[in-house]
Amino acid sequence: MFERFTDRARDAVKGAQVEARALHHRYIGTEHLLLALLGESGGLAGTVLRDAGVFPEQVRADILAARRDPLGMADAEALRAIGIDLDAVREKVEETFGEGALEASPTLPLRRRGLFRRVPAPAAPSPGHIPFSPRAKKVLELALREALHLKHKHIGTEHILLGLIREGEGLAAMVLTNAGLRLEDLRRHVLDALARAA
């Protein structure tokens, strides 16, 4: 599939890996793809996002906030109201089990363990490889579908952005909607920009 990617789209996929490493994440998610699209090689997608008021600094801050508070603002506030300090819970868990103990790996399936059932621990990813989350893989598949639908022979950054929008449920979509954007409007802006560029 990557042979159909433009150089900028390939750079964006590589940039997503760089973003995941910079944030010390163990996987490449939709949020890392979004950050990469906002980078230098973001091409048409980066232009559309910046024109819509989306900037990497704010996206990065929103990603970090979402990972610190995965329950969501309303749930976290409800727990605080009954006296549960989530930061204290996180500190205690990480003190006991190590930093990042509460972070689930989206690529590793949960397995039951029991007295008579021993399951070997999954192999850790190699130091050079960071796996894509299932949602990020879906975004790249949807980028291909968007390119085919538009009868384009290549997959560019604009198609990756259309894939992010179409997937619509990952952290990237959440960050975009929390920034006040409607995904349908953003999709229309991408298609308009493609029409102007043609």
Side-chain angles (χ1 to χ4, degrees), residues 25 27 29-36 59 63 67 164 171-172 175:
H25 294 167
Y27 64 91
T30 61
E31 63 274 23
H32 305 111
L33 288 169
L34 177 61
L35 280 170
V59 169
I63 290 167
R67 289 186 56 94
L164 277 171
L171 184 51
V175 166

Side-chain angles (χ1 to χ4, degrees), residues 19-197:
E19 292 293 346
R21 281 190 201 291
L23 293 170
H24 305 289
H25 294 167
R26 298 179 197 167
Y27 64 91
I28 300 168
T30 61
E31 63 274 23
H32 305 111
L33 288 169
L34 177 61
L35 280 170
L37 291 176
L38 286 163
E40 290 178 20
S41 64
L44 184 63
T47 301
V48 169
L49 287 166
R50 284 187 293 279
D51 288 349
V54 181
F55 297 98
E57 303 79 23
Q58 186 58 49
V59 169
R60 202 169 277 108
D62 291 346
I63 290 167
L64 292 173
R67 289 186 56 94
R68 265 193 315 272
D69 200 4
L71 294 174
M73 300 293 260
D75 291 337
E77 191 56 42
L79 289 171
R80 282 187 199 94
I82 60 172
I84 297 174
D85 182 357
L86 292 176
D87 292 330
V89 170
R90 178 180 297 279
E91 285 176 20
K92 189 64 174 172
V93 168
E94 288 186 347
E95 178 184 310
T96 304
F97 298 104
E99 187 175 335
L102 292 175
E103 293 180 24
S105 173
T107 60
L108 299 177
L110 297 176
R111 299 185 180 193
R112 282 184 46 192
R113 299 185 188 273
L115 181 60
F116 299 108
R117 190 172 162 181
R118 301 205 183 268
V119 178
S126 66
H129 175 72
I130 299 177
F132 283 90
S133 71
R135 282 192 197 278
K137 287 179 185 177
K138 183 176 182 179
V139 164
L140 296 176
E141 178 187 321
L142 291 171
L144 171 64
R145 289 185 186 184
E146 290 287 344
L148 291 173
H149 175 74
L150 294 168
K151 297 181 178 34
H152 294 170
K153 296 188 186 314
H154 68 280
I155 300 169
T157 59
E158 60 276 11
H159 301 106
I160 296 173
L161 179 54
L162 289 170
L164 277 171
I165 294 166
R166 189 167 166 191
E167 189 277 329
E169 294 180 9
L171 184 51
M174 185 185 86
V175 166
L176 292 171
T177 56
N178 286 349
L181 297 173
R182 292 185 56 230
L183 296 180
E184 304 83 32
D185 292 342
L186 189 57
R187 178 179 176 77
R188 192 171 53 255
H189 288 301
V190 174
L191 295 174
D192 289 346
L194 274 169
R196 283 192 306 273

